[in-house]
Amino acid sequence: MLSTLASNKSKVEDPVKGSLAKPVTVSGFTAIPSGAQISGNVTAAEESGRVKGKATIAFRFNRLVVRDEAIPIQTAQVTRVAAQDTAGDVKKGGLGAGAGAIVGGVIGGGKGAAIGAVAGGAGAVLGTKGKEVQVEPGTVVSVLLQEPVTVQVPIR
């Protein structure tokens, strides 16, 4: 990847650029050299949600440049989804529950502490967004061509 993509910053139709990490060889001939440029667009970008809905970024490539010739291509969509942060949710819930129990205990005694703990724990998790997902330059992604591609190879 040559572009930086982020679920909370990229928009659908934003340009995406990359280059081939390895050459494509056919019968011992280099059909497409490493470093050949590919380009496309972001197809989906969703920020993380507060309760559910993991951050997602998706893109596909639609153009390949080989020896100064632009060739239309169609790749399958590449999708990255943020990892689930259940450990972070547990920590947030525990901190919120502790704060809620203190406030509830001050206001309503033991029963108030129990109610405050439940409300505080849920509020901490509900009020905090999950992690975003990013694709940084240098990230290696594999793409699947949806149609055959014809490339002219110079004879030496």
Side-chain angles (χ1 to χ4, degrees), residues 14-155:
D14 280 356
V16 177
K17 295 185 182 219
S19 65
L20 269 61
K22 297 179 184 177
V24 176
T25 58
V26 178
S27 301
F29 293 99
T30 299
I32 306 172
S34 63
Q37 302 290 302
I38 54 176
S39 60
N41 299 88
V42 172
T43 56
E46 297 289 331
E47 289 188 57
S48 67
R50 294 198 186 277
V51 178
K52 58 183 175 177
K54 295 181 197 173
T56 304
I57 189 81
F59 56 94
R60 67 173 29 118
F61 295 102
N62 55 25
R63 190 175 102 151
L64 166 69
V65 178
V66 180
R67 297 176 197 88
D68 296 324
E69 178 187 356
I71 302 167
I73 61 171
Q74 186 62 44
T75 68
Q77 181 171 277
V78 177
T79 304
R80 295 289 183 258
V81 179
Q84 182 68 36
D85 188 19
T86 52
D89 287 349
V90 170
K91 287 178 189 172
K92 290 174 207 161
L95 292 172
I102 292 169
V103 171
V106 169
I107 294 172
K111 184 176 179 184
I115 294 169
V118 171
V125 173
L126 293 176
T128 307
K129 290 177 64 171
K131 292 184 178 186
E132 300 300 332
V133 63
Q134 286 192 308
V135 178
E136 300 288 339
T139 301
V140 177
V141 297
S142 295
V143 295
L144 176 65
L145 285 170
Q146 299 293 85
E147 301 172 356
V149 175
T150 301
V151 177
Q152 292 187 6
V153 179
I155 300 175

